Amino acid sequence: MGRSLSTAARIGAAVAVALVLVHLTAEATGAQDLSTVSQWTLMPALAGVVLAATRRPRGRLVTWVLVALGFSWLGDLVPSLVADDLSFLVMVGFFLLAQVAYVVAFAPAVRRSVLHRRRLLVLPYAAVLVTLVALCAPHAGSLLVPVCVYGAMLTAMAVLATGLGRVAAVGGAVFLVSDALIALEAFVPSWDLAGQGFWVMLTYTVGQGLLAAAVVRHDATEGRTPEQQPSGDDVVAPV
């Protein structure tokens, strides 16, 4: 068993869940001002949980995940503070940096990921990326290259996340769904999902939360003896 969460981490997790529920309620009810302000609190709260639940000195994985959460927070915050014609580009820019940070964080686990252990499972990720680009390309215009770059980095994050186990694998996949919904709304005129904002934020918060939980779990098990470490079947997750 890994270390149990500290009291501070448990309180932080409860606060983070409460903030997510407030935000999702605001999205569902159309309370735009509350939705905007509550969104600014989500990633700082999650980062606080990661800080409270991990040990000092924090290693590469935890550090880079905190960087990713920081860029995600900027992606949530800054677009609402700039002109409307810049907000989407600013959001994509900060979330691209967040994906880069996640890729750097998860890269050392590549040999435990589906890339090395279950390569056939890479095909669904590739299919999602190709399909998404194909749907967005006709209307992406000058943003086609940035869309492709972001999509590739997002997919790489989701694939590499499988190296941290099932929880991270699901988190990466759900995060991929969240950003796919954003891309479809932005570039596919016929796309019309009822409650779009709610579903985007539900998948976003669940995806980020699962990734954070997997990182906390990994940090808690780092001090185990080799006999106590999870087996390969526990580490690599089918998606």
Side-chain angles (χ1 to χ4, degrees):
M1 296 292 291
R3 295 178 297 115
S4 60
L5 291 179
S6 67
T7 300
R10 292 177 184 275
I11 293 173
V15 170
V17 170
L19 290 171
V20 168
L21 292 176
V22 168
H23 178 72
L24 292 177
T25 299
E27 282 285 348
T29 59
Q32 190 57 52
D33 290 342
L34 178 58
S35 173
T36 298
V37 174
S38 60
Q39 185 171 343
W40 299 345
T41 69
L42 301 178
M43 292 305 104
L46 186 56
V49 175
V50 173
L51 282 170
T54 54
R55 302 173 296 187
R56 294 182 181 179
R58 295 179 179 88
R60 172 195 177 99
L61 174 63
V62 174
T63 299
W64 278 102
V65 165
L66 288 171
V67 171
L69 292 175
F71 281 127
S72 298
W73 173 63
L74 291 174
D76 289 336
L77 171 67
V78 179
S80 61
L81 304 178
V82 300
D84 289 344
D85 57 343
L86 294 176
S87 61
F88 183 77
L89 289 176
V90 169
M91 180 187 72
V92 171
F94 280 122
F95 276 103
L96 175 59
L97 292 174
Q99 300 306 335
V100 170
Y102 271 128
V103 166
V104 172
F106 300 153
V110 63
R111 291 191 175 277
R112 300 194 300 271
S113 74
V114 294
L115 275 174
H116 280 261
R117 298 200 172 182
R118 299 180 183 180
R119 292 183 179 177
L120 284 178
L121 290 178
V122 177
L123 294 178
Y125 293 98
V128 169
L129 175 60
V130 171
T131 301
L132 193 60
V133 170
L135 290 172
C136 294
H139 302 282
S142 61
L143 294 177
L144 179 58
V145 171
V147 166
C148 291
V149 171
Y150 184 83
M153 193 60 62
L154 175 65
T155 305
M157 177 279 297
V159 169
L160 290 172
T162 63
L164 268 66
R166 290 180 176 84
V167 172
V170 175
V174 173
F175 200 168
L176 177 59
V177 170
S178 178
D179 280 6
L181 291 176
I182 293 174
L184 291 170
E185 181 185 39
F187 298 112
V188 180
S190 61
W191 181 257
D192 184 21
L193 175 65
Q196 166 81 10
F198 174 86
W199 294 114
V200 166
M201 292 308 299
L202 175 64
T203 49
Y204 171 64
T205 52
V206 169
Q208 293 270 37
L210 290 174
L211 289 175
V215 169
V216 168
R217 180 183 179 186
H218 184 275
D219 182 76
T221 60
E222 276 187 334
R224 293 180 182 180
T225 63
E227 293 76 12
Q228 293 174 306
Q229 293 292 342
S231 67
D233 290 340
D234 290 333
V235 174
V236 180
V239 179

